[in-house]
Amino acid sequence: MCKPWFSIGDFTETEMRECFSAEDDMIDILRGRGFKIVAVEGEVFWEEDGYYAFLDRGADVLAVAHLDSVYDPTPPVISGSRLSSSAVDNRFGVYVILELLHRKGITADILFTTNEESCASTARFFAPPEGRVYNWMVSFDRMGWDAALYQFHRNDDGAWERALTRSGFRITRGTYADICDMSHIGCKGLNVGIGYCDHAHSLSAWVDLDIAVDQLNRFKRFYDANCRRKFAHDPKDEFSLATLLLAMGFPSREARSAKSWAEVEGDGVRL
Protein backbone atom coordinates (compact mmCIF):
# COMPACT_ATOMS: atom_id res chain seq x y z
CA MET A 1 0.00 0.00 0.00
CA CYS A 2 1.28 3.50 -0.86
CA LYS A 3 2.14 5.66 2.11
CA PRO A 4 0.10 8.85 1.80
CA TRP A 5 2.77 11.44 2.58
CA PHE A 6 6.49 11.98 2.05
CA SER A 7 8.90 11.85 4.97
CA ILE A 8 12.65 12.00 5.59
CA GLY A 9 12.55 8.20 5.89
CA ASP A 10 11.99 8.08 2.10
CA PHE A 11 15.62 9.09 1.60
CA THR A 12 18.44 6.62 2.30
CA GLU A 13 21.95 6.59 0.90
CA THR A 14 21.73 2.97 -0.23
CA GLU A 15 18.49 3.39 -2.14
CA MET A 16 19.49 6.70 -3.73
CA ARG A 17 22.96 5.65 -4.87
CA GLU A 18 21.90 4.26 -8.24
CA CYS A 19 20.31 7.58 -9.27
CA PHE A 20 23.67 9.28 -8.64
CA SER A 21 25.54 6.96 -11.03
CA ALA A 22 27.78 8.26 -13.82
CA GLU A 23 25.79 9.47 -16.81
CA ASP A 24 26.98 6.65 -19.10
CA ASP A 25 25.88 4.11 -16.50
CA MET A 26 22.51 5.82 -16.20
CA ILE A 27 21.79 5.09 -19.86
CA ASP A 28 22.12 1.35 -19.22
CA ILE A 29 20.13 1.59 -15.97
CA LEU A 30 17.27 3.45 -17.65
CA ARG A 31 17.24 1.21 -20.71
CA GLY A 32 16.97 -1.78 -18.37
CA ARG A 33 13.94 -0.17 -16.76
CA GLY A 34 12.09 0.25 -20.03
CA PHE A 35 13.07 3.78 -21.05
CA LYS A 36 13.32 4.73 -24.70
CA ILE A 37 16.68 6.48 -25.29
CA VAL A 38 16.72 8.96 -28.19
CA ALA A 39 19.92 10.68 -29.39
CA VAL A 40 19.77 14.25 -30.70
CA GLU A 41 22.31 16.57 -32.33
CA GLY A 42 23.27 19.84 -30.72
CA GLU A 43 22.51 22.95 -32.74
CA VAL A 44 24.12 26.02 -31.19
CA PHE A 45 27.87 26.52 -31.00
CA TRP A 46 28.33 25.65 -27.29
CA GLU A 47 26.03 22.64 -27.28
CA GLU A 48 27.19 19.03 -27.22
CA ASP A 49 25.20 16.22 -28.78
CA GLY A 50 22.82 14.77 -26.24
CA TYR A 51 19.86 12.50 -25.71
CA TYR A 52 16.69 12.16 -23.76
CA ALA A 53 15.18 9.15 -22.00
CA PHE A 54 11.42 8.62 -21.90
CA LEU A 55 9.22 6.18 -20.01
CA ASP A 56 5.60 5.93 -21.14
CA ARG A 57 3.31 5.00 -18.26
CA GLY A 58 0.15 6.07 -20.07
CA ALA A 59 -0.19 9.00 -17.66
CA ASP A 60 -1.84 12.41 -18.04
CA VAL A 61 1.02 14.16 -16.18
CA LEU A 62 4.67 14.45 -17.28
CA ALA A 63 7.57 14.59 -14.77
CA VAL A 64 10.87 16.02 -16.06
CA ALA A 65 14.45 16.01 -14.73
CA HIS A 66 17.93 16.31 -16.22
CA LEU A 67 20.79 13.82 -15.98
CA ASP A 68 23.68 16.17 -16.73
CA SER A 69 25.44 17.94 -13.87
CA VAL A 70 28.18 20.56 -13.52
CA TYR A 71 30.41 18.08 -11.67
CA ASP A 72 30.59 14.31 -11.98
CA PRO A 73 28.14 12.77 -9.51
CA THR A 74 29.40 11.67 -6.11
CA PRO A 75 27.40 9.21 -3.98
CA PRO A 76 24.80 10.85 -1.75
CA VAL A 77 25.72 11.28 1.91
CA ILE A 78 22.98 11.91 4.49
CA SER A 79 23.65 13.52 7.85
CA GLY A 80 20.49 14.32 9.78
CA SER A 81 18.29 16.31 7.40
CA ARG A 82 21.19 17.21 5.11
CA LEU A 83 21.84 15.27 1.88
CA SER A 84 25.12 16.09 0.14
CA SER A 85 26.44 15.32 -3.33
CA SER A 86 28.17 17.15 -6.16
CA ALA A 87 25.13 16.35 -8.33
CA VAL A 88 22.10 17.12 -6.18
CA ASP A 89 21.17 19.29 -9.19
CA ASN A 90 19.35 17.36 -10.60
CA ARG A 91 19.95 13.76 -9.53
CA PHE A 92 17.88 14.43 -6.42
CA GLY A 93 14.98 15.21 -8.76
CA VAL A 94 15.74 12.06 -10.77
CA TYR A 95 15.40 9.98 -7.60
CA VAL A 96 12.15 11.67 -6.57
CA ILE A 97 10.61 11.07 -9.99
CA LEU A 98 11.96 7.58 -10.65
CA GLU A 99 11.55 6.04 -7.20
CA LEU A 100 9.24 8.04 -4.94
CA LEU A 101 6.28 9.49 -6.82
CA HIS A 102 4.64 6.19 -7.66
CA ARG A 103 4.96 5.01 -4.04
CA LYS A 104 2.72 7.90 -3.03
CA GLY A 105 0.07 7.16 -5.63
CA ILE A 106 1.40 9.73 -8.11
CA THR A 107 1.41 8.46 -11.70
CA ALA A 108 3.45 10.31 -14.32
CA ASP A 109 5.22 9.68 -17.58
CA ILE A 110 8.96 10.38 -17.15
CA LEU A 111 11.31 12.46 -19.29
CA PHE A 112 15.00 12.65 -18.41
CA THR A 113 17.07 15.11 -20.45
CA THR A 114 20.67 16.26 -20.96
CA ASN A 115 22.34 19.63 -21.70
CA GLU A 116 20.14 21.51 -19.23
CA GLU A 117 23.17 22.95 -17.47
CA SER A 118 24.23 24.61 -20.74
CA CYS A 119 20.73 26.13 -21.16
CA ALA A 120 20.08 23.96 -24.21
CA SER A 121 17.98 21.15 -22.78
CA THR A 122 17.20 18.22 -25.03
CA ALA A 123 13.66 18.59 -23.70
CA ARG A 124 13.00 20.82 -26.71
CA PHE A 125 13.28 17.78 -29.00
CA PHE A 126 10.74 15.70 -27.06
CA ALA A 127 7.41 14.86 -28.65
CA PRO A 128 4.71 13.10 -26.59
CA PRO A 129 3.42 9.71 -27.73
CA GLU A 130 0.92 9.99 -30.55
CA GLY A 131 -2.43 11.14 -29.23
CA ARG A 132 -1.09 11.99 -25.75
CA VAL A 133 -2.02 15.44 -24.46
CA TYR A 134 -0.65 16.09 -20.98
CA ASN A 135 -2.70 17.91 -18.37
CA TRP A 136 0.44 19.59 -16.98
CA MET A 137 4.12 18.88 -16.27
CA VAL A 138 6.41 19.17 -13.27
CA SER A 139 10.10 19.16 -12.36
CA PHE A 140 11.92 19.22 -9.04
CA ASP A 141 15.02 21.28 -9.73
CA ARG A 142 15.23 24.45 -7.70
CA MET A 143 16.63 26.00 -4.55
CA GLY A 144 14.41 26.88 -1.60
CA TRP A 145 10.70 26.35 -1.14
CA ASP A 146 8.90 28.20 -3.93
CA ALA A 147 7.55 27.06 -7.30
CA ALA A 148 8.75 28.67 -10.54
CA LEU A 149 6.36 29.04 -13.48
CA TYR A 150 8.61 30.74 -16.09
CA GLN A 151 6.50 31.46 -19.18
CA PHE A 152 3.61 29.36 -17.89
CA HIS A 153 2.18 32.18 -15.79
CA ARG A 154 0.80 33.68 -19.01
CA ASN A 155 -2.00 32.98 -21.46
CA ASP A 156 -4.75 31.92 -19.08
CA ASP A 157 -7.27 33.34 -16.62
CA GLY A 158 -5.05 32.74 -13.61
CA ALA A 159 -6.44 29.26 -12.90
CA TRP A 160 -2.97 27.68 -12.92
CA GLU A 161 -1.57 29.98 -10.26
CA ARG A 162 -4.72 29.79 -8.13
CA ALA A 163 -4.61 25.99 -8.11
CA LEU A 164 -0.97 26.03 -7.02
CA THR A 165 -1.41 28.63 -4.28
CA ARG A 166 -4.37 26.69 -2.87
CA SER A 167 -1.96 23.80 -2.34
CA GLY A 168 0.41 26.07 -0.42
CA PHE A 169 2.97 26.98 -3.07
CA ARG A 170 4.64 30.38 -3.15
CA ILE A 171 4.85 31.37 -6.82
CA THR A 172 7.86 32.97 -8.55
CA ARG A 173 9.04 33.48 -12.13
CA GLY A 174 12.40 31.67 -12.29
CA THR A 175 15.15 31.87 -14.92
CA TYR A 176 15.77 28.54 -16.71
CA ALA A 177 14.95 24.85 -16.37
CA ASP A 178 14.07 21.98 -18.72
CA ILE A 179 10.41 22.95 -18.88
CA CYS A 180 11.30 26.39 -20.29
CA ASP A 181 11.99 24.56 -23.57
CA MET A 182 8.72 22.60 -23.54
CA SER A 183 5.98 25.08 -24.42
CA HIS A 184 5.50 23.12 -27.64
CA ILE A 185 3.72 20.26 -25.84
CA GLY A 186 0.82 22.58 -25.02
CA CYS A 187 0.41 22.34 -21.25
CA LYS A 188 1.36 24.35 -18.16
CA GLY A 189 4.44 23.49 -16.12
CA LEU A 190 5.98 24.16 -12.72
CA ASN A 191 9.41 23.66 -11.21
CA VAL A 192 9.15 22.84 -7.52
CA GLY A 193 11.78 24.25 -5.17
CA ILE A 194 13.24 21.17 -3.54
CA GLY A 195 15.65 22.53 -0.93
CA TYR A 196 18.94 22.95 -2.82
CA CYS A 197 21.40 24.81 -0.56
CA ASP A 198 24.93 26.28 -0.67
CA HIS A 199 24.88 26.83 -4.43
CA ALA A 200 23.58 23.78 -6.25
CA HIS A 201 26.43 23.98 -8.80
CA SER A 202 29.24 23.27 -6.37
CA LEU A 203 31.12 20.30 -4.96
CA SER A 204 29.65 21.14 -1.56
CA ALA A 205 26.03 21.27 -2.72
CA TRP A 206 23.39 19.79 -0.46
CA VAL A 207 19.65 19.44 -0.02
CA ASP A 208 17.70 20.37 3.09
CA LEU A 209 15.47 17.30 3.40
CA ASP A 210 13.05 19.10 5.73
CA ILE A 211 12.32 21.61 2.97
CA ALA A 212 12.19 18.84 0.35
CA VAL A 213 9.61 16.87 2.35
CA ASP A 214 7.43 19.94 2.91
CA GLN A 215 7.54 20.78 -0.80
CA LEU A 216 6.81 17.23 -1.91
CA ASN A 217 3.78 17.10 0.36
CA ARG A 218 2.55 20.40 -1.12
CA PHE A 219 3.00 18.82 -4.53
CA LYS A 220 1.06 15.73 -3.47
CA ARG A 221 -1.83 17.91 -2.34
CA PHE A 222 -1.75 19.66 -5.70
CA TYR A 223 -1.57 16.37 -7.60
CA ASP A 224 -4.45 14.79 -5.70
CA ALA A 225 -6.65 17.80 -6.41
CA ASN A 226 -5.60 18.44 -10.04
CA CYS A 227 -4.17 15.32 -11.68
CA ARG A 228 -7.23 15.02 -13.94
CA ARG A 229 -7.51 18.73 -14.66
CA LYS A 230 -6.18 20.06 -17.95
CA PHE A 231 -4.14 23.27 -17.82
CA ALA A 232 -3.50 24.16 -21.46
CA HIS A 233 -0.75 26.51 -22.59
CA ASP A 234 -0.65 28.34 -25.92
CA PRO A 235 3.01 28.89 -26.83
CA LYS A 236 2.19 31.54 -29.45
CA ASP A 237 5.53 33.12 -30.36
CA GLU A 238 7.64 31.38 -27.71
CA PHE A 239 10.94 29.76 -28.66
CA SER A 240 13.58 27.76 -26.88
CA LEU A 241 16.71 29.71 -25.95
CA ALA A 242 18.74 27.76 -28.50
CA THR A 243 16.24 28.42 -31.31
CA LEU A 244 16.08 32.12 -30.42
CA LEU A 245 19.88 32.49 -30.48
CA LEU A 246 20.10 30.80 -33.86
CA ALA A 247 17.38 33.10 -35.20
CA MET A 248 19.41 36.10 -33.92
CA GLY A 249 22.41 34.98 -35.95
CA PHE A 250 24.50 33.16 -33.34
CA PRO A 251 26.64 30.48 -35.01
CA SER A 252 25.35 26.96 -35.19
CA ARG A 253 27.51 23.90 -34.75
CA GLU A 254 29.29 23.11 -38.04
CA ALA A 255 27.39 26.06 -39.56
CA ARG A 256 24.15 24.10 -39.53
CA SER A 257 20.98 26.10 -39.95
CA ALA A 258 18.13 25.81 -37.44
CA LYS A 259 15.93 22.78 -37.98
CA SER A 260 12.17 22.73 -37.84
CA TRP A 261 10.48 20.60 -35.19
CA ALA A 262 9.44 18.10 -37.84
CA GLU A 263 13.03 17.74 -39.08
CA VAL A 264 14.40 17.37 -35.56
CA GLU A 265 11.88 14.69 -34.65
CA GLY A 266 12.71 12.89 -37.88
CA ASP A 267 16.39 12.91 -36.99
CA GLY A 268 15.86 11.16 -33.64
CA VAL A 269 18.02 8.04 -33.45
CA ARG A 270 17.55 5.15 -31.04
CA LEU A 271 20.76 4.38 -29.18
Side-chain angles (χ1 to χ4, degrees), residues 177-190:
D178 287 304
I179 62 174
C180 292
D181 286 336
M182 297 187 69
S183 289
H184 64 282
I185 71 171
C187 68
K188 296 291 188 185
L190 76 153

Side-chain angles (χ1 to χ4, degrees), residues 23-35:
E23 193 173 325
D24 288 346
D25 294 333
M26 285 299 299
I27 294 176
D28 293 332
I29 291 167
L30 294 174
R31 184 184 287 114
R33 297 183 66 161
F35 279 75

